[in-house]
């Protein structure tokens, strides 16, 4: 192994009478106890470049040391290629100058140091700057025209500044004796030699390992595990759901008519009453004694009139929503703008300026426009407060459709038109809210289904508390599970009714709660994470199931000691895909043909049996009691039973609850 040292500069004192003064590098080689077998004979390179002296020796026993000493800076001017080659092959660079030759120091600083930096090209080669000699004159001349300053000494601060700019180590050698040569300069130089040898040994070892690795049989490369899924909350579409309800007019229970008995628009009592005390009076939700504001009573009496007989009870078995209440709008100008006003109410977003522009375009009369806007303010005003200006409207002095507006009607029989029976209890609800917020409910209450023409609707497979939490989300767009198990039950209910945002909220709640558990609580808790994983897989909650797998793997030492860890087999992890053969490899939403008799749609759809033209609606559950299926089995016809028996492959993996809606 070889260490190459390149030394530049002349350290001889120009004021000294001793012209035979030894150079710094030669003095070190002669005096150092670590140097042996010194050879200073001129080499071929020395013959080509007489300004360079080459020394060869051995250091640390068997390490070859090569020193190129260049006392003249002219090598950079006369032979740039040679100087660049020397710097490129150097392991250590030594720059030396005499402290009494400021002219040479100034040339070094201005001309040659930039050349050395350029030749190094950002290489990490250690550099030692050595200031040699004792200063002759300590106080330089301050006359600006005097030339004696060229002969003044180089100060310590100038040398330190040069070393700082170069990133080098600065040494001052007042004499070339044993102390300064061996202990001071030699100690620093030998330190850099050891660092260079260590670096070369490391690089040599890396090359050897790389060469051995190329000839070695490579082990199989394992795929990187999937990253932890990132769950992002889905944006709320509460306002758009209720606004779309006005367009579809499904489950409308009030119809507005003009005075000439022509229908203007249909609406929903529960939506109107949630934002207006005028409509609460109109539909008997509140009495005049409950509202201590005479202006609201005058507005209700002057604008609307409920036709006699419109509030009669519906025929037996027919829900109230099929017989809308007829409301006559007494004000013809207000009636012409009623559709725009209802769009403003249903939108939820406060767009008073847009409503004002729409009414202006329709009426094209400023007085009529002002009249209609005043009526809207009276309808939407809060009792006991005055609304006189646009600023009052923008400061929420008038009511609007918030996510909390419908909380007043949650789980109350007021204006309810459907009653769910669950676990022996009854839960009142409003079809308009359910249809607007849940697509499965919209399909269930529309068409030729039993629920569409029935007030009592049974609910199976979920508990009453879970179903109430589900309904609370539909009404208020928020949910607060009390525990992880309740959140999982709510997730199952949300997946059953295909409310994806609620499902994501439950997933995020479960993950947040598990992440906050310390290791001691995870080890002692009775909560089965494996059971949560099974349910998440079964109910197509891919993000949660993937996260739970990572969570179990991360806390392997804890979960491997639990009994349920033995149930974590490949069969459970692949359970959602077991249905693929039965469904014709169409696991997700879509329609597949089964056995030529049965058309099965996997999510929120129907099974159609052509022979009997019977529609059978079904839901897919986890841990669903088979008794619910047996109870309804007797109500099916023999043809329907034989058709369903062709689904036995599907029934083997998931329990299916079916009941007939209509039959031929």
């Amino acid at each position: 192994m070889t260490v190459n040292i390149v030394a530049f500069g002349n350290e001889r004192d120009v004021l000294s009478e001793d012209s035979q003064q030894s150079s710094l590098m030669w003095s070190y080689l002669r005096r150092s106890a670590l140097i042996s077998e010194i050879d200073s004979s001129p080499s071929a390179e020395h013959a080509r470049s007489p300004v360079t002296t080459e020394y060869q020796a051995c250091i640390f026993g068997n390490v070859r040391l090569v020193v190129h000493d260049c006392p003249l800076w002219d090598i950079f001017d006369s032979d740039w290629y040679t100087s660049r080659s020397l710097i490129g092959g150097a392991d250590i660079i030594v720059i030396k100058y005499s402290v009494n030759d400021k002219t040479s120091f100034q040339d070094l600083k201005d001309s040659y140091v930039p050349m050395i930096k350029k030749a190094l090209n950002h290489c990490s080669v250690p550099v030692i700057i050595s200031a040699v000699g004792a200063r002759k004159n300590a106080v330089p001349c301050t006359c600006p025209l005097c030339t004696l300053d060229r002969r003044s000494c180089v100060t310590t601060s100038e040398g330190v500044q040069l070393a700082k700019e170069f990133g080098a180590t600065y040494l001052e050698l007042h004499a070339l004796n044993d102390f300064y040569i061996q202990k001071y300069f030699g100690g620093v130089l030998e330190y850099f030699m050891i660092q260079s040898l260590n670096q070369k040994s490391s690089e040599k070892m890396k090359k050897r390992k790389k060469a051995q690795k190329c000839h070695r049989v490579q082990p199989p490369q394992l795929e990187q595990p999937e990253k932890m899924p990132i769950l992002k909350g889905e944006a709320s579409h509460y306002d758009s759901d209720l606004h779309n309800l006005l367009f579809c007019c499904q489950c409308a229970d009030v119809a507005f008519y003009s005075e000439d008995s022509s229908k203007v628009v249909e609406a929903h009592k529960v939506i109107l009453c949630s934002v207006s005390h005028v409509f609460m009076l109109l539909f008997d939700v509140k009495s005049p004694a409950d509202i201590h504001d005479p202006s609201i009573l005058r507005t209700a009496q002057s604008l609307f009139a409920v036709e006699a007989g419109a509030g009669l009870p519906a025929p037996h078995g027919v829900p109230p929503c099929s017989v809308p209440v007829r409301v006559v709008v007494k004000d013809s100008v207000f009636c012409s703008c009623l559709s725009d006003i209802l769009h403003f109410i249903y939108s939820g977003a406060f767009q008073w300026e847009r409503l004002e522009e729409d009414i202006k375009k329709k009426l094209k009369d400023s007085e009529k426009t002002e009249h209609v806007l005043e009526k809207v303010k009276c309808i939407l005003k809060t009792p006991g407060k005055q609304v006189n200006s646009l600023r009052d409207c923008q400061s929420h002095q008038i009511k609007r459709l918030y996510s909390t507006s419908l909380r007043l009607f949650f789980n109350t029989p007021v204006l309810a038109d459907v009653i769910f029976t669950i676990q022996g209890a009854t839960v009142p609800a409003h079809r308009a809210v359910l249809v607007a917020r849940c697509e499965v409910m919209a399909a269930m209450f529309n068409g030729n289904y039993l629920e569409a023409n029935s007030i009592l609707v049974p609910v199976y497979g979920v508990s009453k508390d879970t179903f109430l939490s589900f309904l609370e989300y539909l009404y208020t767009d928020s949910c607060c599970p009390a525990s992880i198990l309740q959140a999982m039950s709510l997730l199952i209910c949300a997946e059953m009714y295909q409310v994806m945002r609620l499902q994501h909220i439950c997933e995020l709640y479960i993950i947040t709660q598990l992440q906050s558990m310390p290791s001691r609580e995870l080890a002692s808790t009775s909560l089965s994470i494996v059971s949560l994983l099974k349910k998440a897989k079964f109910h197509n909650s891919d993000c949660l199931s993937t996260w739970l797998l990572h969570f179990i793997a991360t806390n392997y030492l804890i979960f491997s000691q639990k009994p349920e860890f033995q149930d974590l087999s490949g069969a459970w992890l692949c359970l959602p895909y077991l249905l693929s053969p039965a469904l014709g490899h169409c696991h997700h939403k879509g329609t597949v043909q089964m056995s030529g008799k049965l058309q099965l749609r996997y999510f929120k759809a129907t099974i159609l049996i052509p022979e009997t033209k019977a529609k059978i609606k079904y839901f897919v559950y986890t841990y669903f009691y088979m008794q619910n299926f047996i109870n309804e089995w007797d109500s099916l016809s023999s043809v329907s039973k034989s058709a369903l028996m062709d689904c036995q492959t599907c029934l083997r993996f998931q329990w299916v609850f079916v009941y007939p809606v209509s039959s031929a």
Side-chain angles (χ1 to χ4, degrees), residues 2 6 10 26 44 53 84 111 115 139 147 161-163 187 213 264 280 293 346 403 406 467 478 523 591 597-598:
T2 304
V6 179
N10 187 5
W26 176 247
T53 303
R84 187 175 62 180
S111 303
M115 292 183 182
V139 181
T147 59
Q161 183 63 28
L162 176 63
K213 190 176 181 180
V264 179
M280 286 185 179
D293 194 335
Y346 274 71
S403 58
L406 293 172
F467 192 71
S478 63
T591 304
K597 300 178 182 179
L598 205 59

Side-chain angles (χ1 to χ4, degrees), residues 623-633 651-652 654-657:
Y623 306 119
F624 185 75
Y625 292 105
M626 201 64 182
Q627 186 64 36
N628 292 329
F629 176 78
I630 297 173
N631 291 340
E632 300 294 338
W633 181 258
L651 292 173
R652 187 180 307 134
Q654 294 189 4
W655 292 324
V656 179
F657 169 59

Side-chain angles (χ1 to χ4, degrees), residues 175-450:
L176 299 182
N177 54 27
D178 290 340
F179 173 78
Y180 285 105
I181 292 295
Q182 293 188 32
K183 296 184 179 180
Y184 195 22
F185 176 76
V188 174
L189 186 63
E190 289 159 8
Y191 168 79
F192 285 124
M193 287 183 191
I194 295 173
Q195 294 296 320
S196 176
L197 291 173
N198 291 338
Q199 183 178 358
K200 289 185 177 182
S201 299
S202 177
E203 293 176 355
K204 186 176 180 180
M205 186 64 65
K206 288 180 180 179
K207 290 181 180 179
R208 182 181 300 173
K209 289 182 177 180
K210 188 175 181 181
Q212 293 176 353
K213 190 176 181 180
C214 295
H215 298 88
R216 190 186 304 165
V217 178
Q218 297 297 322
Q221 296 292 329
L222 299 179
E223 296 182 359
Q224 293 294 326
E226 296 181 1
K227 293 183 178 180
M228 189 80 76
I230 301 176
L231 291 182
K232 296 182 179 180
E234 184 180 344
S236 174
H237 39 79
Y238 184 84
D239 293 338
S240 60
D241 288 343
L242 297 180
H243 192 219
N244 293 333
L245 181 64
L246 185 63
F247 289 101
C248 68
C249 293
Q250 188 177 349
C251 298
D253 52 3
V254 57
F256 291 94
Y257 288 82
S258 62
E259 289 184 317
D260 58 358
S261 299
S262 59
K263 183 184 290 187
V264 179
V265 66
E266 292 183 337
H268 309 82
K269 293 179 184 179
V270 65
I271 304 296
L272 299 177
C273 292
S274 65
V275 297
S276 173
H277 286 79
V278 172
F279 291 112
M280 286 185 179
L281 284 174
L282 196 65
F283 301 127
D284 297 327
V285 176
K286 288 188 177 182
S287 64
D290 298 329
I291 301 175
H292 306 286
D293 194 335
S295 62
I296 293 179
L297 182 59
R298 289 194 300 267
T299 302
Q301 293 174 351
S302 62
L303 279 181
F304 306 106
V306 179
E307 285 192 351
L312 294 177
H316 179 69
V318 179
C321 66
S322 61
V323 185
V325 175
R326 293 169 60 93
V327 178
V328 177
V329 183
K330 298 179 181 180
D331 192 327
S332 59
V333 178
F334 183 85
C335 184
S336 63
C337 302
L338 185 58
S339 60
D340 296 323
I341 296 171
L342 289 180
H343 280 292
F344 170 73
I345 293 175
Y346 274 71
S347 65
F350 192 81
Q351 300 175 348
W352 182 264
E353 293 85 353
R354 182 176 178 180
L355 174 65
E356 190 174 356
E357 292 177 2
D358 293 341
I359 294 177
K360 283 181 180 180
K361 290 180 181 179
K362 180 171 291 187
L363 298 180
K364 298 180 181 179
D365 188 329
S366 59
E367 292 183 1
K368 292 182 178 179
T369 301
E370 188 65 26
H371 169 74
V372 173
L373 292 177
E374 286 298 326
K375 294 297 182 182
V376 175
K377 293 176 184 178
C378 292
I379 291 175
L380 300 179
K381 68 171 292 189
T382 302
K385 295 185 179 180
Q386 297 295 329
V387 182
N388 299 319
S389 62
L390 176 62
R391 180 177 297 180
D392 293 335
C393 298
Q394 293 176 342
S395 62
H396 308 292
Q397 294 294 329
I398 69 175
K399 297 189 68 177
R400 53 177 283 201
L401 189 61
Y402 288 102
S403 58
T404 57
S405 301
L406 293 172
R407 185 180 291 275
L408 177 64
F409 299 96
F410 168 64
N411 196 22
T412 61
V414 180
L415 299 179
D417 51 10
V418 63
I419 298 176
F420 293 100
T421 59
I422 177 171
Q423 293 183 341
T426 58
V427 178
H430 305 80
R431 294 171 186 260
V433 180
L434 304 179
V435 166
R437 300 281 288 140
C438 178
E439 294 181 3
V440 173
M441 293 283 190
M444 186 169 64
F445 291 123
N446 187 29
N448 298 322
Y449 296 113
L450 290 177

